[in-house]
Amino acid sequence: MKILVINAGSSSLKFQLIDMDDESVKAKGLVERIGIEGTHFKQTVGDKVIKFTRNMADHTEAITAVLEALTDKENGAIASLDEIGACGHRVLHGGETFKQSALVTEESLKAIEDLIPLGPLHQRPNIAGIKACQAVMPGKPNVAVFDTAFHQTMPPKAFLYAVPYAYYTDYKVRRYGFHGTSHRFIAGETPKYLGKDPKDCKFIICHLGNGSSLSAIVGGKVVDTSMGLTPLEGVVMGTRSGDVDPAVLEYIMDNTGMDIHEMLNTLNKKSGFAGLSVSSDMRDVKAAAAKGDAQAQTAVDIWTYRLQKYIGAYMAAVQGADAIVFTAGIGENDTEACADVIAGFAWMGIKIDPARNVRGACGIISTDDSTVKVLRIPTNEELPIARDTLEIVSRL
Ligand code: ADP
């Protein structure tokens, strides 16, 4: 069966068509600037590319374009839409309602809509993506796969904030955690490299992309994660601040006249590397640092130090880790950044092996005598969505 994986953002839509017989990617693509003048479309099928610019008003038009491209006679991937068995959708928020992926029904869609207040910027377009598929492919099953679901195993001591308890009971305020499909994929792969039963493994996953989050895994389950009610909390990211003293908000708002929406927009979109330095992209920041930009170097140092503090905390959360795992854009590519983070643990005998710490390496990158193993594993955020979708529709 082939599964169409959809990741719908507010003005973008990423897709992959995955053949579940061998889990190979048959087609992938991206629609950008949906609802904005000059929508870009790009699909790649092997070395065949379909690329054009044509205004698309909404996600339904974007999905229609995706289906046209997938079935294109010359450059498409399938002969007919009948080959698509189901659609799997990345959905930001499952709240406490969804502890695992769910078939989209009238009832589950209503529950997903009820969670809009917890993440309106993502949840609305995610729902638009589901509804677009329902409209364009009536009768085709849709499955929702939640960014938060894998983290639902956290105990209350990890997920509750020390604020009035009624905020949790009345308003659902708690740590939810995000990047769940990536953490789940890596949590599944790591024990294979450690040669141990997943039940006996304790490790720390560092998903370091543009958005970054850590998770502490014991026996295959999340016991803590760094993102919170929203993806703003935690380590330093491309444009997000990560942790700040909440009192900073009032102080800056009083001084600048910003309202709370502008303030949060600043913390989400103009902070992190982008706020501290020349760009949200680690490569640009490092290039500036290499040319002698001291502030850029400080931004990298803040990023490194914050990660070290989180890893140290999660050593306690898992009560001694077997491994620290790096993944996503920076984790997979920036070997130096990973080595610098681990250098902060030389005192406890954790050591990177420079010969193993190479870009594209997959597996253990620490020395044989390192007290904790360090791994680099490329993530895959689409495959878990396709696997869940297949499993759920196979039961229908
Ligand atoms: P997203 O969260 O948008 O999926 P990615 O996982 O693609 O992000 O990660 C983007 C980050 O990865 C950027 O900060 C980028 O600088 C970094 N990155 C990608 N390739 C490299 C590289 N070769 N060296 C250093 N950093 C890299």
Side-chain angles (χ1 to χ4, degrees):
M1 183 191 286
K2 295 188 184 72
I3 305 282
L4 181 59
V5 176
I6 304 282
N7 182 355
S10 54
S11 65
S12 70
L13 188 147
K14 289 188 208 149
F15 64 96
Q16 275 194 12
L17 184 70
I18 302 181
D19 187 342
M20 297 311 287
D21 289 345
D22 57 1
E23 296 191 333
S24 62
V25 178
K26 293 291 161 209
K28 63 173 161 186
L30 172 65
V31 194
E32 286 175 297
R33 297 176 63 87
I34 300 169
I36 306 170
E37 184 73 20
T39 311
H40 294 300
F41 182 98
K42 185 174 178 190
Q43 171 183 281
T44 313
V45 177
D47 55 5
K48 296 182 291 188
V49 176
I50 296 180
K51 213 169 144 182
F52 59 87
T53 302
R54 176 178 90 207
N55 288 352
M56 297 178 205
D58 55 26
H59 288 79
T60 306
E61 285 190 29
I63 290 283
T64 305
V66 170
L67 299 181
E68 277 168 15
L70 284 173
T71 52
D72 186 85
K73 288 218 161 42
E74 255 173 63
N75 295 309
I78 47 177
S80 117
L81 294 183
D82 296 340
E83 291 183 44
I84 302 174
C87 301
H89 299 263
R90 181 178 183 183
V91 176
L92 176 84
H93 231 298
E96 290 189 333
T97 316
F98 295 101
K99 299 191 189 309
Q100 43 203 290
S101 304
L103 182 71
V104 175
T105 59
E106 216 173 297
E107 195 190 356
S108 66
L109 190 56
K110 164 84 177 56
I112 295 169
E113 285 175 330
D114 287 345
L115 294 165
I116 288 175
L118 288 174
L121 292 181
H122 292 91
Q123 199 82 342
R124 280 187 214 283
N126 297 159
I127 292 166
I130 293 173
K131 289 188 170 171
C133 285
Q134 287 178 325
V136 180
M137 291 177 281
K140 193 87 71 191
N142 289 283
V143 168
V145 179
F146 303 92
D147 257 26
T148 51
F150 185 55
H151 301 296
Q152 278 292 302
T153 50
M154 275 186 286
K157 68 178 179 183
F159 75 66
L160 283 175
Y161 293 112
V163 293
Y165 193 71
Y167 294 173
Y168 171 56
T169 49
D170 294 356
Y171 302 113
K172 305 185 176 113
V173 169
R174 52 159 288 175
R175 175 183 310 288
Y176 288 99
F178 298 87
H179 291 137
T181 52
S182 174
H183 286 288
R184 180 150 66 110
F185 179 79
I186 300 295
E189 291 296 300
T190 301
K192 297 180 194 167
Y193 294 98
L194 298 178
K196 286 173 80 169
D197 191 306
K199 287 200 301 296
D200 303 325
C201 291
K202 300 187 282 187
F203 49 88
I204 299 164
I205 300 173
C206 308
H207 174 109
L208 307 176
N210 198 10
S212 299
S213 66
L214 274 66
S215 64
I217 309 286
V218 175
K221 296 199 165 80
V222 177
V223 296
D224 207 347
T225 192
S226 60
M227 285 178 164
L229 174 76
T230 76
L232 183 52
E233 196 181 347
V235 294
V236 176
M237 310 181 214
T239 63
R240 293 182 208 136
S241 61
D243 303 338
V244 283
D245 177 351
V248 167
L249 279 68
E250 184 190 37
Y251 183 74
I252 296 295
M253 287 159 67
D254 282 351
N255 275 286
T256 61
M258 269 196 262
D259 65 19
I260 189 66
H261 301 292
E262 291 170 293
M263 186 70 250
L264 279 176
N265 191 47
T266 301
L267 293 178
N268 268 305
K269 301 203 170 137
K270 299 176 188 170
S271 298
F273 278 138
L276 289 166
S277 183
V278 290
S279 150
S280 63
D281 194 301
M282 173 69 123
R283 285 166 290 198
D284 300 338
V285 181
K286 284 205 153 171
K291 284 190 192 142
D293 180 338
Q295 197 178 316
Q297 185 56 52
T298 303
V300 176
D301 293 345
I302 297 170
W303 181 90
T304 308
Y305 179 59
R306 183 84 63 87
L307 268 166
Q308 289 168 339
K309 289 207 291 184
Y310 260 95
I311 291 171
Y314 283 5
M315 286 285 180
V318 303
Q319 293 288 290
D322 302 310
I324 299 165
V325 192
F326 289 104
T327 193
I330 300 174
E332 290 168 29
N333 294 297
D334 194 333
T335 55
E336 184 191 58
C338 299
D340 288 347
V341 170
I342 295 303
F345 298 92
W347 60 274
M348 61 176 285
I350 311 183
K351 286 183 259 171
I352 291 273
D353 181 346
R356 292 176 181 165
N357 183 26
V358 289
R359 207 174 147 204
C362 184
I364 294 170
I365 57 168
S366 49
T367 58
D368 290 339
D369 66 347
S370 179
T371 50
V372 175
K373 291 189 168 59
V374 184
L375 286 83
R376 167 170 298 120
I377 304 177
T379 196
N380 189 331
E381 301 190 69
E382 285 77 21
L383 192 54
I385 297 177
R387 284 178 180 165
D388 277 12
T389 304
L390 177 67
E391 199 201 312
I392 287 175
V393 299
S394 303
R395 284 191 243 131
L396 293 177

